[in-house]
Amino acid sequence: MTTLKTANSESIMAAVLKSLDENKAEEIVQISLAGKSSMADHMVIASGRSTRQVTSIAEKLVDAIKQEFGIVSKVEGRTTGDWVLVDAGDVI
């Protein structure tokens, strides 16, 4: 039985950054939205070397967030891989 971690914006952000690093995302930029937007507390932008890598990074990120916190992220743009948006609630 897997125990899920408590999901708060800081723990989700740490998991996102860990997944991006492990999957060789490039040019990772963190933007704090706390107190500036009701939409989310953090936004992360990252690049990949190819559309295939971008798609893979996004899929692994979605799986990591689901495994660790039980959060089912909303995903857009996965089919083309030119860009992918992953909405994990407090972290986009």
Side-chain angles (χ1 to χ4, degrees):
M1 183 172 168
T2 303
T3 303
L4 298 177
K5 292 184 179 178
T6 303
N8 62 46
S9 64
E10 299 307 318
S11 60
I12 297 169
M13 179 67 162
V16 166
L17 294 174
K18 179 181 175 190
S19 178
L20 292 174
D21 183 57
E22 288 175 351
N23 293 296
K24 310 290 190 247
E26 300 175 345
E27 301 176 31
I28 300 169
V29 177
Q30 305 171 47
I31 302 169
S32 175
L33 300 175
K36 298 174 188 164
S37 173
S38 61
M39 157 175 70
D41 290 337
H42 302 280
M43 180 178 284
V44 179
I45 301 169
S47 298
R49 291 183 302 274
S50 67
T51 56
R52 175 178 262 173
Q53 185 191 23
V54 169
T55 302
S56 176
I57 289 169
E59 288 174 359
K60 290 177 181 177
L61 175 59
V62 168
D63 289 342
I65 293 169
K66 186 174 181 181
Q67 291 290 320
E68 197 163 334
F69 302 103
I71 296 172
V72 178
S73 301
K74 296 173 191 82
V75 181
E76 294 184 29
R78 188 184 326 192
T79 54
T80 61
D82 292 334
W83 58 270
V84 180
L85 183 136
V86 176
D87 183 349
D90 288 336
V91 180
I92 298 174

